[in-house]
Amino acid sequence: MSTTVAKALSLLDHFSEAEPEIGLSELARRSGVDKATVHRMLGVMCDAGLLEKRGDARLYRLGAGVLRLARVREAAFPVSALVQQSLAELAARLGETAHASLISGRGLATIGICESNRGSRVSLVAGEILMLHCTASGLAVLAYSRPERVDRVLAEPLVARTTRTITNPGVLRARLEEIRLSGFAEADQTAEDDVYGIAVPLFDSDGEATGAIAIATPAHRMTNDLRQEIITALIAEAERVTVSSGGRVPATFRAAAARFVQV
Amino acid sequence: MSTTVAKALSLLDHFSEAEPEIGLSELARRSGVDKATVHRMLGVMCDAGLLEKRGDARLYRLGAGVLRLARVREAAFPVSALVQQSLAELAARLGETAHASLISGRGLATIGICESNRGSRVSLVAGEILMLHCTASGLAVLAYSRPERVDRVLAEPLVARTTRTITNPGVLRARLEEIRLSGFAEADQTAEDDVYGIAVPLFDSDGEATGAIAIATPAHRMTNDLRQEIITALIAEAERVTVSSGGRVPATFRAAAARFVQV
DNA sequence: AACCACTGGTGATTATAATGAACCAAATAT
DNA sequence: ATATTTGGTTCATTATAATCACCAGTGGTT
């Protein structure tokens, strides 16, 4: 079922901020692919510039090609740069960690993080992939996605990341309906213990959700006042990002947001 | 001979600043791969997040996954950010377009550009891939590369990009020896007509060349004074970037640079 | 309206490329 | 000094991907 190209590309997912360089055997072990196969794939990806191996050491790491591709994308469709500005403002204003993510494959790719400067704060790993069904950002995106995407996510088993994760498809659908009406999504320790996330979707030129910006706070610190403040700020910044990146805020969201501000 | 993974990845190279979105048929035509094959590969790469297709339109473009990968790499081995600073300084000081590139596969990936604000200036496309044998940056890198890389480049036919491009392997080898002794590379319209490039290599922790920073000026504007000024500035900035990115300037280069400054 | 030249997308057959166990030399670990 | 693990390679077997013809939709011309 799995194509070789998919297998090769999945190798890239094993590189993270925590483990930026990996050896051949190690990668073969983690991916469950034969060593010979991994070796050949790594070679090809080195040729393509997606990977490179450090001169003397025989470790592989992400190559300069990924920087180039990112530049090409940003030159044509700038979002990363735009978003970074909003994140900085949000983090400064609210004193909590702000982050942004975009749909990438079947998950959300974190493309920007701005940590608060408080002692106690939520710390996120750059380049992490968020799941759609349990994170605030994921829920915000799903609530404003085409039914096909929702169906695709609900078709697969909903992994329980914490004891509070919603694993029942029916319950999740109801949850998405609520979110659609309110304009923002909350995840009170459904993705990670002690983390309370609030997210608002970003839209493309077709008015479809493409990602989200979010605030993550230590769960115990969340109060009603802070919650209100966060949501108001997120809605404003999300609209700014959406509009300045050429997106269109759909009427359904605008109505929901207006309803919130009224209250 | 060509693996399917390589073919799939080569599709990514067709996306550029000039043409950021491509349709299925168009991509099949340009790559010379069958439409059905391309379709399957694009699907796989969309799943991986490297590509995405714009909602209603049926065009493909680079996906958010590349932004994520770039972030992961930058988090672990920051160069792009570092280099950008140097480029800005160079462009401001010299009033000419500065750019940086890193080895990526069998070429140089442009990872940073800072154009001068003059009316007449050299304009570069973001994310372009430079050839090693005819650009100033490429020559600078080759001159300080392991013999294997040089041999690999010289093994393939040296494409003539202009009438002045060096196409003879022997001549090129001699040229590289000169560059190794001087510490900088020049490309007087050997890559593009009317463009005069000067480049200095960047090094990794093993003292091997990993890329270059360069200045590109309109050929007619180059004078001996400007040339001296550019080289001095480049050598200083290249060392700064190399050192602050954890690299080590090899003794051979340091000697060459010192020899130049003496003169 | 009928036609044309496109587009994105799809399946079944055939040819091709991927696979994985065994194997090596060199580097580490014991 | 011995055993284990590393990156890397080989080659017969097998599973995979390429191919061609085809379908349906679209936009433009006559």
Side-chain angles (χ1 to χ4, degrees):
Chain A
M1 258 302 286
S2 67
T3 75
T4 59
V5 183
K7 242 188 274 187
L9 294 181
S10 76
L11 293 179
L12 295 176
D13 290 340
H14 294 89
F15 295 88
S16 65
E17 188 181 9
E19 197 164 10
E21 293 183 302
I22 315 186
L24 172 59
S25 297
E26 175 69 14
L27 196 49
R29 204 176 307 123
R30 293 164 78 102
S31 61
V33 184
D34 189 272
K35 209 170 44 170
T37 304
V38 171
H39 178 252
R40 192 161 25 82
M41 287 173 170
L42 289 180
V44 172
M45 297 178 95
C46 280
D47 268 2
L50 284 176
L51 291 177
E52 63 191 22
K53 67 176 151 190
R54 274 245 318 249
D56 67 335
R58 36 215 170 304
L59 293 174
Y60 295 83
R61 68 176 183 193
L62 291 172
V66 304
L67 300 180
R68 189 189 126 259
L69 291 174
R71 262 196 84 88
V72 171
R73 198 199 130 109
E74 277 289 301
F77 317 99
V79 259
S80 196
L82 269 172
V83 143
Q84 212 63 38
Q85 198 179 328
S86 279
L87 293 181
E89 203 154 318
L90 284 170
R93 172 133 74 110
L94 302 169
E96 300 287 353
T97 300
H99 65 278
S101 43
L102 297 179
I103 294 174
S104 171
R106 48 184 124 274
L108 280 177
T110 311
I111 60 151
I113 299 174
C114 199
E115 299 207 350
S116 82
N117 44 15
R118 291 213 196 178
S120 157
R121 66 176 182 231
V122 177
S123 216
L124 301 168
V125 244
E128 201 179 5
I129 291 197
L130 307 178
M131 287 186 291
L132 290 171
H133 77 283
C134 63
T135 62
S137 298
L139 294 175
V141 167
L142 277 185
Y144 288 90
S145 288
R146 292 231 192 80
E148 301 98 66
R149 173 168 290 129
V150 180
D151 294 341
R152 189 152 35 100
V153 171
L154 292 184
E156 291 171 25
L158 306 173
V159 197
R161 290 297 294 268
T162 72
T163 55
R164 306 178 128 202
T165 305
I166 298 175
T167 54
N168 181 305
V171 176
L172 189 57
R173 263 188 212 279
R175 197 66 222 294
L176 291 179
E177 190 54 41
E178 279 176 40
I179 294 168
R180 200 169 306 128
L181 290 173
S182 67
F184 61 90
E186 289 173 282
D188 183 2
Q189 311 182 56
T190 58
E192 197 172 345
D193 283 323
D194 302 324
V195 174
Y196 195 115
I198 304 183
V200 171
L202 302 172
F203 300 97
D204 66 10
S205 56
D206 304 319
E208 223 206 325
T210 56
I213 57 176
I215 298 287
T217 73
H220 62 80
R221 196 190 290 159
M222 183 56 65
T223 65
N224 218 330
D225 280 359
L226 178 58
R227 188 170 158 277
Q228 296 273 332
E229 204 183 344
I230 289 176
I231 295 168
T232 315
L234 280 178
I235 288 178
E237 288 301 329
E239 172 148 5
R240 200 186 71 81
V241 171
T242 289
V243 168
S244 57
S245 68
R248 184 178 62 77
V249 177
T252 62
F253 176 81
R254 203 174 287 272
R259 202 172 308 125
F260 174 81
V261 175
Q262 270 184 344
V263 173
Chain B
M1 260 298 283
S2 66
T3 75
T4 58
V5 183
K7 242 188 274 186
L9 293 180
S10 76
L11 294 179
L12 294 176
D13 290 339
H14 294 88
F15 295 88
S16 67
E17 189 179 11
E19 197 165 13
E21 293 184 301
I22 315 184
L24 172 59
S25 297
E26 175 69 14
L27 196 50
R29 204 177 306 122
R30 292 166 80 103
S31 62
V33 184
D34 189 273
K35 209 169 43 169
T37 303
V38 172
H39 179 252
R40 192 161 29 78
M41 287 173 168
L42 291 181
V44 172
M45 297 178 95
C46 281
D47 267 4
L50 283 174
L51 293 176
E52 62 190 23
K53 69 175 149 189
R54 274 248 315 252
D56 69 335
R58 38 219 168 303
L59 293 174
Y60 295 83
R61 68 176 182 192
L62 292 171
V66 303
L67 300 180
R68 189 189 128 260
L69 290 174
R71 261 195 85 86
V72 171
R73 198 198 129 108
E74 277 290 301
F77 317 99
V79 259
S80 195
L82 270 172
V83 143
Q84 212 63 38
Q85 199 180 326
S86 279
L87 293 181
E89 204 155 317
L90 285 169
R93 172 133 74 113
L94 302 169
E96 300 287 354
T97 300
H99 65 279
S101 43
L102 298 179
I103 294 174
S104 172
R106 47 185 124 273
L108 280 178
T110 311
I111 61 151
I113 300 172
C114 199
E115 300 207 349
S116 83
N117 43 15
R118 292 211 196 178
S120 157
R121 64 172 185 235
V122 177
S123 217
L124 300 168
V125 246
E128 203 180 5
I129 290 198
L130 307 177
M131 286 186 293
L132 289 171
H133 76 282
C134 63
T135 62
S137 299
L139 295 175
V141 167
L142 276 185
Y144 288 90
S145 288
R146 291 231 192 80
E148 301 99 64
R149 173 169 290 128
V150 180
D151 294 341
R152 189 149 36 99
V153 171
L154 292 184
E156 291 171 25
L158 305 173
V159 197
R161 290 295 294 268
T162 73
T163 55
R164 306 178 128 201
T165 305
I166 299 174
T167 54
N168 182 304
V171 177
L172 189 57
R173 263 186 211 279
R175 198 66 223 295
L176 291 179
E177 190 54 40
E178 280 176 40
I179 294 168
R180 202 169 306 129
L181 290 173
S182 68
F184 61 91
E186 289 174 283
D188 185 2
Q189 310 182 55
T190 57
E192 198 171 344
D193 283 323
D194 302 325
V195 173
Y196 194 114
I198 304 183
V200 171
L202 303 173
F203 300 97
D204 65 10
S205 55
D206 304 319
E208 222 206 327
T210 56
I213 59 177
I215 298 287
T217 74
H220 62 81
R221 196 190 291 161
M222 184 56 64
T223 65
N224 217 332
D225 281 357
L226 179 58
R227 188 170 159 280
Q228 298 274 331
E229 203 183 345
I230 289 176
I231 295 169
T232 316
L234 279 179
I235 289 178
E237 288 299 330
E239 173 148 2
R240 201 187 70 81
V241 172
T242 289
V243 169
S244 56
S245 69
R248 186 177 62 78
V249 178
T252 62
F253 176 80
R254 203 174 286 272
R259 202 173 307 125
F260 174 82
V261 175
Q262 270 184 346
V263 173

